Amino acid sequence: MVPLGDEATSWRRWPRPGGDVRSALRESSTAIRDRLGELLTGAQRAGAVRPELSLPELLALPAGIGRAMEQLGADPAGQERFFEVVFAGLRPH
């Protein structure tokens, strides 16, 4: 696993001109997924998140949330209700 501390954000980790940007992005993406997986597992063990929620499902949420926010537009009350539903759905029943 690639650490997300100073090492991961260091300018030395960025590819040089002509370097492999995709490889660097893949490495960062993998590190983020690993950490999110650890956070999800910890939240599930603590009983804060539904035990059947998988990492791919969690990762899909931002795409759906982004689309929903586009549909809701500038409706703060609607946005608040939407997030209440999302967070309620993440909690164990």
Side-chain angles (χ1 to χ4, degrees):
M1 176 168 52
V2 176
L4 290 178
D6 292 336
E7 250 182 65
T9 57
S10 168
W11 62 271
R12 291 182 193 97
R13 294 188 60 79
W14 290 95
R16 301 203 184 280
D20 187 0
V21 173
R22 289 182 187 192
S23 177
L25 289 175
R26 191 176 320 104
E27 190 175 309
S28 296
S29 176
T30 299
I32 291 168
R33 286 179 65 93
D34 288 348
R35 292 295 171 105
L36 283 174
E38 292 169 7
L39 288 170
L40 175 59
T41 299
Q44 289 169 324
R45 285 185 184 145
V49 174
R50 299 170 71 128
E52 70 274 15
L53 183 69
S54 70
L55 182 58
E57 293 166 342
L58 179 65
L59 293 171
L61 278 174
I65 289 170
R67 183 71 175 126
M69 291 301 105
E70 289 174 3
Q71 293 297 310
L72 289 172
D75 177 8
Q79 293 173 359
E80 186 172 337
R81 281 189 302 278
F82 176 81
F83 279 106
E84 287 173 3
V85 169
V86 169
F87 293 134
L90 291 172
R91 289 186 208 101
H93 297 345

